Amino acid sequence: TPVGLRNLSRGEYLSRIGADVDSALDLPLRVVLPWLQALLVTVATALFTWWILPVNGVLITVLGVVALVLVPVIVRIVASRTDNRLAPARAQVVDAVVEIADNNEQILVTGVGPGALAALKKRDAEVNIVMNRQAWSMGLGNGLGTLLQGSAVVGALVIGIPAVNSGQLNPVMIAVLALLPLALFEILGTLPAA
């Protein structure tokens, strides 16, 4: 056993191995790809809207940068408080399950089964509390993304309607300017989880 792992219990070994395998498999698909996709789509959308109506391009650029940078940072700050507590809490649940499985005959003979199950339920409840707090941070990210998306659509209409009335913009293009943020922020909405 490597020196750094000597003090870990069997449950912690199992939790870490499972988490490490999941992380290695999910990294390209759930982390790298969403960021790359969001960056490329944001740049392309900003350039396209800039070409249609430069003022709207500025709006999309600003809101896109906020969604690319600020929202994930806010979510990360809020989630970091729970992330550090989740792995140890899960390891305690796995430890309790392994302990019960390894000693099930002794537990049945001595009659401490209800106490062992109560301890397992308590540890599981602690994991659920931490996971609920983590879900709250993801909900915060989704809410901020929706707010930015709505701002982009309303902003596109506020900017585009006077441009159509003045003849600067083709009336068909106002629909493009209003619908593009919906597609853009759908992709940007994956960043907090990534």
Side-chain angles (χ1 to χ4, degrees):
T1 304
V3 175
L5 301 177
R6 280 187 188 161
N7 297 329
L8 298 179
S9 65
R10 289 175 52 196
E12 288 175 308
Y13 280 131
L14 290 173
S15 293
R16 287 186 182 197
I17 287 172
D20 288 349
V21 169
D22 288 344
S23 295
L25 294 175
D26 289 346
L27 179 67
L29 183 62
R30 295 182 188 247
V31 177
V32 176
L33 189 59
W35 281 98
L36 182 62
Q37 176 183 351
L39 182 64
L40 290 174
V41 171
T42 301
V43 169
T45 304
L47 289 174
F48 183 68
T49 54
W50 201 292
W51 176 69
I52 294 173
L53 189 63
V55 176
N56 196 34
V58 171
L59 174 72
I60 292 297
T61 302
V62 169
L63 294 176
V65 168
V66 168
L68 272 170
V69 178
L70 193 59
V71 172
V73 167
I74 291 170
V75 169
R76 182 67 191 140
I77 289 169
V78 172
S80 67
R81 296 178 186 152
T82 58
D83 287 347
N84 296 334
R85 294 177 36 209
L86 187 58
R90 282 184 175 163
Q92 287 180 353
V93 170
V94 173
D95 277 342
V97 169
V98 169
E99 183 73 25
I100 290 170
D102 284 348
N103 301 310
N104 63 358
E105 293 172 357
Q106 292 87 353
I107 290 172
L108 290 174
V109 169
T110 58
V112 295
L117 288 176
L120 175 61
K121 287 180 182 178
K122 180 183 176 195
R123 290 177 178 168
D124 186 53
E126 291 169 0
V127 169
N128 287 332
I129 289 169
V130 173
M131 289 180 71
N132 285 338
R133 290 181 182 153
Q134 191 177 45
W136 187 87
S137 67
M138 299 287 28
L140 175 66
N142 290 338
L144 291 173
T146 301
L147 180 66
L148 290 170
Q149 181 182 45
S151 300
V153 171
V154 170
L157 292 173
V158 167
I159 292 168
I161 291 172
V164 168
N165 289 338
S166 69
Q168 181 184 4
L169 182 67
N170 184 339
V172 174
M173 297 309 278
I174 189 104
V176 174
L177 292 178
L179 294 175
L180 269 176
L182 297 176
L184 172 63
F185 284 92
E186 185 74 26
I187 291 168
L188 292 174
T190 63
L191 292 183

